[in-house]
Amino acid sequence: MMTTVDSTSELSSFFDQTPDLICIAGKDGFFKIVNHAVENKLGYSKSELLSQPISSFIFDEDKAITEQSRASLFMGTPLVNFENRYVTKEGNKIWLHWTSIYLPDKKVVFAIAKDISERKRIEKEIDIKYQKFKGLASFFKSRIEEDKKIFARELQEELSQITANIKMDLHSILNLFPDIPELVTSRIEQASYMSGLMLQMIDKIAFEISPFMLVDRTLNENLKLLCMDFSLQHEVPCNFDADYDVSVLSPEIKMDFFRMCQNVLKNIMNYDEVQSVEIGICDTGNAIELTIKDEGMGLAIKTPKQVGALANMKERVSSLNGSLSNISSEENGSFIKVILIS
């Protein structure tokens, strides 16, 4: 037969033996009853705890948020999963996780708390390691992009100069020897034309390697050039639209946004059914969103190569503390959305 706990002494014994911090507080902001766990954690005697305002035990930086939560509690909203810091008699800070309810007929607050200081310490250590890892990842990405920029600049400056000199020399031959056979003239003109194409190709390759090689070119300008080049090469309309303040994006984010768009466009043209592509960046008020959408299934994940491309995007987005979604349907086409909380 189950025994019902109904005596005051049994309740009091349970109240004091539980390891959780249990207390009853009045609307006046003072403790009315506390168990031994409260005394042991804070290091104060029961008389000291009952004689001082509760706010005097709370860490200064947490007093305002605690007062706001207390006001909501009196309005009938139970306090669940609330965390704040208390200061012990020895001056140490401890983290407490609270569940509280207000009993209006008694005009008191019944509250239970757990000491989560160790969990908070572990979380802080993990965050420090994460920030260190993130910093290293950012450094390596920046280093790689800087090396690409140097290579692209050398490619453009050195090869372009050599190719331009060849083109000039070919023209000078025609000027110096006007009586050379027509066949030779035709071949020289053809070589000059090919030199011009080579100059254009060098510029294109340099742009793909390092789009921000020219410091006065913005992310928006680079994405417009990327879309224009895509449209010219593949005869598929590709448009870019922007509705955000570019100054809020760091150089790392700008480069990642460009690289993601660049990789996606390369991936899209594996499928002939793509009819158009739309790239957009917008500010929603609390986040910056990059969206890449096609009319077709060019963004659908169908091959190992596409899986790898999406994994690469996820790594970039993860390093920016963002989120990525990839949705495809036969009716509405497919799109990729990257969200960065601002």
Side-chain angles (χ1 to χ4, degrees), residues 161-177 180 188-189 191-192 195:
Q161 187 62 45
I162 292 172
T163 306
N165 287 339
I166 292 173
K167 188 176 177 66
M168 290 173 62
D169 287 343
L170 290 170
H171 277 293
S172 66
I173 291 173
L174 293 176
N175 293 330
L176 291 171
F177 305 98
I180 57 178
I188 291 176
E189 289 177 345
S192 177
S195 298

Side-chain angles (χ1 to χ4, degrees), residues 17-72:
Q17 288 181 24
T18 179
D20 292 337
L21 287 71
I22 301 177
C23 61
I24 295 176
K27 288 191 70 175
D28 59 359
F30 282 78
F31 288 122
K32 302 303 179 184
I33 301 175
V34 294
N35 69 345
H36 288 322
V38 178
E39 298 177 56
N40 294 336
K41 287 293 181 182
L42 296 182
Y44 291 95
S45 67
K46 183 170 293 188
S47 60
E48 289 175 319
L49 289 167
L50 301 183
S51 63
Q52 300 180 55
I54 297 173
S55 60
S56 65
F57 305 112
I58 299 173
F59 184 52
D60 285 344
E61 293 181 9
D62 294 348
K63 287 182 178 180
I65 186 65
T66 302
E67 184 60 33
Q68 291 175 13
S69 300
R70 187 168 176 267
S72 297

